Amino acid sequence: MKNIKVKLAGRSYPIYIGAGAFDIALADFAKLASERRRVFCIADPAVLKAHPQKAERLGKVTEIIAVPGGEKTKSVAMFGRLCSELAGKRADRKSAITAFGGGVVGDLAGFVSASYMRGVNFYQIPTTLLAMVDSSVGGKTGVNIAEGKNLVGAFHQPRAVYSDTPFLKSLPKRQFAAGMAEVVKCGILGDAVLFKRLSKFGGGMGFDSPELEWAIARACSLKAKIVAADELESSPEGGRALLNLGHTFGHAIERCAGYGKYLHGEAVSIGTVMAAVLSRRLGLLDDSSVSEIAGVLKGAGLPVSLRKPIPAGDLIDAMRSDKKSVGGALRFVTILSIGSTRTEKVSENTVRRAIADFFKL
Ligand SMILES: NC(=O)c1ccc[n+]([C@@H]2O[C@H](COP(=O)([O-])OP(=O)(O)OC[C@H]3O[C@@H](n4cnc5c(N)ncnc54)[C@H](O)[C@@H]3O)[C@@H](O)[C@H]2O)c1
């Protein structure tokens, strides 16, 4: 079991990683109950069904509210329904909310926690690899609107995160691989030791790999360090924006291919290879590093090329309208070497050439 601290300006919180994290959650919630504080658990029914014994134990110390799984659940309508349900159940300011599920339930429950009674304590029990290494860390919460994903939300840091890795046993392989994309990304962006270890494995890991807990902890530590230094993503260069490695291209791929065609992690995997190719075109990265990056992602069961080509112009238009783009400029996280990255503006011409390079890989 590993315990990482996210050190914020005002306070810090723990992330427990490994078998046994769930027991710590139950003990913490039981303690809250003993102080007459109610804990509401916003849960993904797929996880309740896949882990009935754990769900039963959770039901003894929390009041479970199941919401349908899937991205559609991250909506303003569901947010409103949950707030009304909490009010109907007479949840008060001392009540707490825990998420029990993947990133969808985590983002939604987090936003409800940030808003209900102007903010109640929030906990996370992430059950997907993506949620364990990415969405449960850092305090970003929110819902989607028709105009775009995650356009409405708030920063609301959890009190604790309990990443109980045995939950991953029931996670479909494709979802597991999508989470690995964020682990590999962390290695490339700031942890060469993590990347080297993944490379030694050829990228592949399963829910029962002895190194998995270590890899999740390395990825979380890196994200925790970056978040601690730039909690609200206000740093003009570097900072939290570094976590977007592969995401400028990745978001454009998701948008151009049509949402749902690629899982987010799959688009990030392809986007990371594109970012590596762009870095090579900028004279920062050599051929062998580009191949190594693509090799590790492929070894993790992730796509490194597009199933169907997308015209460069379409990708560039999508990148200009990304919510993270400022004034339509094309900004990227570029790779100086494995484990070292920076944010920079890149001309449209260079991006076009890099996309052409990528199609020739
Ligand atoms: N807040 C952040 O910083 C942040 C960062 C990255 C992604 N996100 C958000 O996270 C969401 C994606 O998260 P996700 O990939 O976890 O998706 P998800 O929550 O939809 O989970 C993926 C699928 O796995 C199922 N599932 C979850 N746990 C399971 C388990 N243990 N066993 C079997 N099935 C299980 C779910 O029912 C779902 O079908 C997106 O909405 C994205 O915007 C947020």
Side-chain angles (χ1 to χ4, degrees):
M1 161 85 73
K2 301 210 161 25
N3 178 354
I4 288 162
K5 281 247 164 328
V6 183
K7 295 188 183 114
L8 306 170
R11 65 176 176 92
S12 58
Y13 64 88
I15 303 173
Y16 302 99
I17 301 162
F22 184 70
D23 294 326
I24 299 177
L26 296 182
D28 286 354
F29 300 156
K31 185 164 179 289
L32 289 172
S34 74
E35 296 161 1
R36 294 182 178 277
R37 297 177 65 175
R38 294 164 74 191
V39 183
F40 293 88
C41 173
I42 299 179
D44 182 330
V47 187
L48 295 172
K49 195 167 161 214
H51 300 274
Q53 282 157 358
K54 281 182 166 167
E56 198 191 326
R57 291 172 67 204
L58 191 58
K60 290 194 173 133
V61 285
T62 67
E63 296 170 52
I64 295 179
I65 303 174
V67 293
E71 195 64 37
K72 281 206 178 98
T73 283
K74 250 177 74 175
S75 65
V76 174
M78 185 57 75
F79 164 79
R81 260 176 58 186
L82 285 169
C83 290
S84 295
E85 188 158 345
L86 288 168
K89 290 179 188 290
R90 300 190 181 282
D92 61 21
R93 302 178 84 148
K94 288 193 153 186
S95 299
I97 293 175
T98 185
F100 183 52
V104 160
V105 158
D107 281 9
L108 174 69
F111 188 43
V112 172
S113 308
S115 316
Y116 185 72
M117 300 251 171
R118 298 197 182 85
V120 295
N121 284 357
F122 176 46
Y123 297 84
Q124 294 239 42
I125 307 174
T127 62
T128 63
L129 183 56
L130 182 129
M132 290 184 188
V133 297
D134 195 2
S135 60
S136 69
V137 186
K140 283 190 180 176
T141 73
V143 295
N144 306 320
I145 53 173
E147 289 73 12
K149 274 187 72 177
N150 299 321
L151 275 188
V152 175
F155 284 98
H156 190 60
Q157 298 282 353
R159 294 272 142 181
V161 179
Y162 312 94
S163 292
D164 196 86
T165 41
F167 278 118
L168 299 176
K169 194 173 177 178
S170 57
L171 190 67
K173 266 200 169 126
R174 193 175 166 202
Q175 293 287 352
F176 186 91
M180 278 306 289
E182 301 289 351
V183 179
V184 178
K185 176 200 82 176
C186 283
I188 301 167
L189 87 87
D191 187 346
V193 174
L194 170 60
F195 186 84
K196 274 259 141 2
R197 195 80 72 95
L198 294 170
S199 184
K200 211 177 104 200
F201 272 87
M205 266 193 198
F207 73 90
D208 51 356
S209 299
E211 304 260 351
L212 180 65
E213 197 177 301
W214 176 84
I216 295 174
R218 288 295 288 211
C220 285
S221 298
L222 179 79
K223 184 161 182 189
K225 204 168 85 192
I226 292 174
V227 166
D230 182 23
E231 192 178 340
L232 303 180
E233 201 166 336
S234 45
S235 178
E237 295 292 340
R240 268 188 99 134
L242 290 176
L243 295 164
N244 292 327
L245 172 62
H247 284 59
T248 313
F249 284 116
H251 287 153
I253 293 167
E254 282 184 276
R255 187 168 167 151
C256 294
Y259 286 106
K261 284 270 181 340
Y262 292 93
L263 293 179
H264 175 68
E266 294 171 342
V268 166
S269 171
I270 302 167
T272 302
V273 178
M274 285 182 162
V277 170
L278 175 68
S279 306
R280 182 178 66 184
R281 170 139 296 274
L282 290 167
L284 304 171
L285 205 62
D286 55 22
D287 282 348
S288 72
S289 301
V290 175
S291 311
E292 203 182 353
I293 289 170
V296 170
L297 289 164
K298 209 168 166 182
L302 287 156
V304 292
S305 58
L306 291 166
R307 283 184 220 123
K308 236 166 106 185
I310 300 171
D314 293 0
L315 287 171
I316 288 169
D317 286 348
M319 288 189 266
R320 283 200 195 287
S321 52
D322 191 288
K323 79 172 190 299
K324 296 229 158 123
S325 136
V326 181
L330 295 169
R331 284 188 74 80
F332 294 86
V333 180
T334 53
I335 309 164
L336 311 176
S337 62
I338 286 170
S340 170
T341 42
R342 71 178 177 211
T343 51
E344 63 184 294
K345 228 186 212 174
V346 182
S347 74
E348 179 175 327
N349 199 21
T350 305
V351 178
R352 268 185 198 280
R353 284 168 184 229
I355 295 172
D357 294 345
F358 171 81
F359 283 126
K360 283 191 224 131
L361 275 187

